[in-house]
Amino acid sequence: MKLRNIFKLGLVSLAITATTTSCNDWLQVDMEDSIMENMLFENDEGYISALNGIYTKMNEQYGSTLSMGMLDVMAQYYDVEKNTNHNQNVYAQLQYSQGAFKSMSNSIWTALYGYIANINTLLDHCDESGTHLTKLYYPYVKGEALALRAFFHFDMLRLYGPIYSSDTENTIVMPYQETSSKQIQPLLSAKEVAGKILRDLNEAEQLLKDDKIRTNGAMLGDSSDPNERNTFRYRQFRLNYYAVKALKARVYLWIGDKENAYNTALEIIKENKEKSVFPWIKKNAVTNSDNPDRVFSPEVMFSLYNQSRKNSYESLFSSRGDINSMLYFKGTSLEDGDIFSKLTYFYDDFGDIRRSSQWSVEELTIQSSEVEAKKQNVIAFNKYMDATQDVPFRYMIPLIRMSEVYLIAAECAQTPQESMEYINEIRAARNCVKLEMKDTDGPEEIQKYIYREFMREEIGEGQMFYYYKRKAMKEMMSGSEFGQEGSYWTPEAPLEGVFKVQLSQYVWPMPEVEANKRITK
């Protein structure tokens, strides 16, 4: 597949760009490297190579930690019991003072500001006098670079910033790095950071308004025209026009601007209905016994291209992996009615194709120095199980999907009836029964429906922790309390099967790698 080669070319740019150790140590280039840098940016292909290098580097953090792994563990999806030897226990218990968490946080901060440093160098070259970037490539390169810069800053705002409100928006959080200067950048308030994110996304949207995805669709395949380059194909693996707008809707919702979130979501939904760029997946594509599409790839608006996805799956979800690292649901059967299984409460419809395609019962061998080895059945998560053929979705890890846009519209809709329409469109695509409005259904009940669908749609994609934080929820649906006598969970009466959260636990401390540098400076 040529797509693999396209992203491999991006690694060339990494030979002349250096990842940084913090937001204070920007890209450093000596005389020899400066010559190599100028050679890289002497034609369109060089710019695309540099941009692809950033997309490729994203896999280091988003390939697991900020998608299917740590961040979803913090959202309590999986059975990671307290006081066990599980290597994700620190994250499941939100223990920010522990060394493992501090190390992980330092790594995320360093990596994301490193990506941003490379983006700013690329942007400098886009607009420098005598640039070699042609008019055809300019809007794609600059538009996607600006969108990526906003994407990374927004995720750091969601991690390290406050639960956003009019009372907290002036909280000092982080720098917004928009220059390749090595100078220390000032810490800004959450409101200032959000404003700069939206500024970059608005400019990116304008640059990408003629994105080929709007006329030709996602173009998941090599061109049949030997004269056409694949540079502008495979748009789902890049921050395309629609993904930029979806990210804007996500940002608007985060800062409480429901009007703009709603309008932006509706613009996407309306155009998508007209052009069917991101159609709902067909049931037979999910249930295909040879190569089931468990990530529902036609609906994905922006995704990683991760050739190591199989390795992440094997280490996190496969029963062949280490019991102290495997993530799974508590329970012993896929059948409905097991009151000690989280699966029973996670899905409300036995025919849900998310349930049938993404879960299986696996047998684990539990070994201990104190007791004899024993067998135990668990419910394994198969969303990222490797495909048997080299299909485009084989290496896909979704970062933004169309169903989220529908749920944003549902949350911001003006009436419960309108909200239910968006929710039921998702449910119809998942082979679920239509939810009927009750006379007593008001805004609170609608939000419960949205919460349940979001939880099912986004598992393995690193968005649920942000949802809990945005909603300032003090209880999460637990992954480890099920199976204990007397415990159960329902959305109407979450009694025992919950994980209680203090609101302060949603805010990550500034990483030591950054805090220490500011003290020494």
Side-chain angles (χ1 to χ4, degrees):
M1 182 186 294
K2 291 183 181 179
L3 177 60
R4 182 182 306 171
N5 295 329
I6 289 173
F7 278 96
K8 279 185 177 179
L9 286 174
L11 295 174
V12 174
S13 68
L14 302 181
I16 60 91
T17 57
T19 56
T20 58
T21 55
S22 85
C23 71
N24 301 327
D25 295 324
W26 300 108
L27 189 65
Q28 298 183 19
V29 183
D30 61 24
M31 184 176 296
E32 181 180 352
D33 288 339
S34 296
I35 296 171
M36 293 177 66
E37 181 182 345
N38 290 332
M39 290 176 62
L40 177 68
F41 294 113
E42 67 180 6
N43 54 40
D44 291 331
E45 287 73 18
Y47 282 90
I48 291 295
S49 179
L51 186 60
N52 286 347
I54 297 163
Y55 281 115
T56 301
K57 290 289 285 183
M58 284 181 69
N59 283 300
E60 294 177 358
Q61 296 298 325
Y62 288 89
S64 174
T65 304
L66 294 177
S67 58
M68 66 182 77
M70 175 273 301
L71 207 54
D72 267 6
V73 170
M74 296 181 72
Q76 307 302 310
Y77 271 120
Y78 308 111
D79 182 13
V80 180
E81 294 188 21
K82 189 176 182 180
N83 299 324
T84 65
N85 293 324
H86 200 287
N87 62 14
Q88 302 256 14
N89 203 318
V90 168
Y91 311 131
Q93 302 305 319
L94 310 183
Q95 295 176 339
Y96 300 158
S97 63
Q98 296 297 309
F101 178 86
K102 290 180 178 180
S103 176
M104 177 275 301
S105 180
N106 283 337
S107 177
I108 290 174
W109 183 277
T110 300
L112 267 60
Y113 272 112
Y115 305 159
I116 293 167
N118 290 336
I119 289 169
N120 286 330
T121 297
L122 173 60
L123 288 169
D124 285 348
H125 283 278
C126 285
D127 289 321
E128 68 183 354
S129 177
T131 180
H132 297 286
L133 188 61
T134 64
K135 291 183 178 180
L136 174 63
Y137 280 74
Y138 179 85
Y140 287 94
V141 172
K142 186 174 181 180
E144 289 180 33
L146 285 168
L148 283 167
R149 186 168 75 180
F151 183 92
F152 298 134
H153 279 106
F154 181 51
D155 275 359
M156 284 190 289
L157 176 63
R158 292 197 290 178
L159 291 173
Y160 298 98
I163 299 173
Y164 200 98
S165 70
S166 57
D167 294 330
T168 64
E169 64 183 14
N170 292 319
T171 303
I172 300 301
V173 179
M174 55 184 276
Y176 196 94
Q177 183 63 30
E178 49 195 320
T179 171
S180 57
S181 167
K182 302 182 185 72
Q183 298 298 314
I184 297 175
Q185 298 302 305
L187 297 176
L188 303 180
S189 70
K191 183 178 181 179
E192 290 173 309
V193 172
K196 289 179 180 292
I197 290 168
L198 287 169
R199 178 209 61 196
D200 278 356
L201 290 175
N202 284 330
E203 186 176 354
E205 180 184 346
Q206 286 303 307
L207 286 164
L208 292 168
K209 66 182 185 298
D210 295 323
D211 191 336
K212 290 181 181 292
I213 196 172
R214 302 186 75 183
T215 53
N216 298 356
M219 296 178 286
L220 269 187
D222 296 340
S223 174
S224 58
D225 183 353
N227 296 317
E228 181 186 351
R229 297 175 180 175
N230 285 318
T231 303
F232 303 119
R233 302 183 69 84
Y234 299 98
R235 296 301 294 162
Q236 286 173 292
F237 293 100
R238 312 184 78 85
L239 265 171
N240 60 74
Y241 171 82
Y242 296 110
V244 169
K245 288 186 71 70
L247 183 56
K248 275 181 60 177
R250 187 185 275 180
V251 175
Y252 281 132
L253 191 60
W254 183 262
I255 65 175
D257 187 349
K258 288 193 172 183
E259 181 179 358
N260 273 318
Y262 174 75
N263 290 335
T264 305
L266 256 59
E267 288 171 4
I268 300 169
I269 291 171
K270 180 180 178 181
E271 187 163 332
N272 189 57
K273 284 183 177 293
E274 294 172 354
K275 300 181 178 180
S276 193
V277 179
F278 307 105
W280 298 116
I281 194 166
K282 302 296 183 184
K283 181 180 177 182
N284 60 3
V286 179
T287 58
N288 184 306
S289 59
D290 293 330
N291 238 352
D293 185 350
R294 298 183 179 92
V295 298
F296 302 176
S297 63
E299 308 168 15
V300 175
M301 306 179 79
F302 173 47
S303 170
L304 296 181
Y305 183 81
N306 188 301
Q307 291 180 253
S308 298
R309 195 186 82 171
K310 177 183 176 181
N311 297 336
S312 296
Y313 165 77
E314 293 286 347
S315 63
L316 289 174
F317 305 110
S318 172
S319 59
R320 294 187 294 273
D322 183 353
I323 185 61
N324 289 322
S325 63
M326 183 181 176
L327 303 175
Y328 53 82
F329 269 18
K330 180 164 287 188
T332 59
S333 171
L334 296 182
E335 297 301 316
D336 209 5
D338 179 358
I339 65 170
F340 298 132
S341 167
K342 184 175 180 178
L343 203 68
T344 299
Y345 303 97
F346 195 73
Y347 296 100
D348 61 9
D349 192 310
F350 194 73
D352 193 326
I353 58 173
R354 293 169 293 195
R355 174 175 178 152
S356 59
S357 68
Q358 295 177 355
W359 302 94
S360 66
V361 174
E362 300 290 339
E363 185 179 69
L364 301 181
T365 300
I366 311 298
Q367 292 183 319
S368 170
S369 58
E370 301 175 1
V371 296
E372 215 176 287
K374 64 177 182 178
K375 302 290 186 180
Q376 174 184 324
N377 283 348
V378 298
I379 300 173
F381 184 50
N382 296 328
K383 189 171 189 174
Y384 295 113
M385 183 180 287
D386 193 26
T388 58
Q389 299 175 15
D390 203 10
V391 289
F393 62 79
R394 183 178 190 179
Y395 304 115
M396 182 177 277
I397 299 178
L399 299 177
I400 304 175
R401 61 170 59 250
M402 192 66 198
S403 55
E404 181 185 353
V405 176
Y406 274 80
L407 291 172
I408 290 173
E411 185 170 339
C412 302
Q414 298 178 353
T415 66
Q417 291 78 11
E418 184 186 1
S419 295
M420 289 296 283
E421 289 177 8
Y422 299 125
I423 295 168
N424 276 323
E425 186 158 351
I426 296 173
R427 290 179 62 83
R430 304 297 177 248
N431 196 45
C432 296
V433 295
K434 180 180 179 181
L435 294 176
E436 298 293 342
M437 288 280 296
K438 304 184 185 74
D439 294 338
T440 57
D441 280 353
E444 290 186 5
E445 286 71 26
I446 294 298
Q447 294 308 311
K448 289 178 182 177
Y449 294 138
I450 294 169
Y451 158 58
R452 300 268 291 173
E453 293 304 328
F454 192 93
M455 186 166 55
R456 292 187 276 257
E457 282 293 298
E458 297 289 346
I459 183 169
E461 299 179 20
Q463 296 302 315
M464 196 66 213
F465 181 80
Y466 298 134
Y467 182 95
Y468 284 126
K469 179 173 180 175
R470 179 173 61 81
K471 304 290 284 186
M473 295 177 71
K474 296 181 180 180
E475 292 181 342
M476 299 179 183
M477 185 180 183
S478 174
S480 59
E481 294 302 316
F482 295 90
Q484 298 180 15
E485 186 175 355
S487 69
Y488 63 94
W489 190 97
T490 69
E492 293 78 18
L495 298 180
E496 298 294 334
V498 299
F499 179 84
K500 295 186 181 299
V501 187
Q502 297 179 19
L503 296 185
S504 60
Q505 290 179 294
Y506 284 118
V507 183
W508 288 18
M510 176 178 282
E512 291 179 346
V513 68
E514 184 62 28
N516 291 341
K517 283 182 174 292
R518 290 188 175 272
I519 292 173
T520 58
K521 297 291 185 181

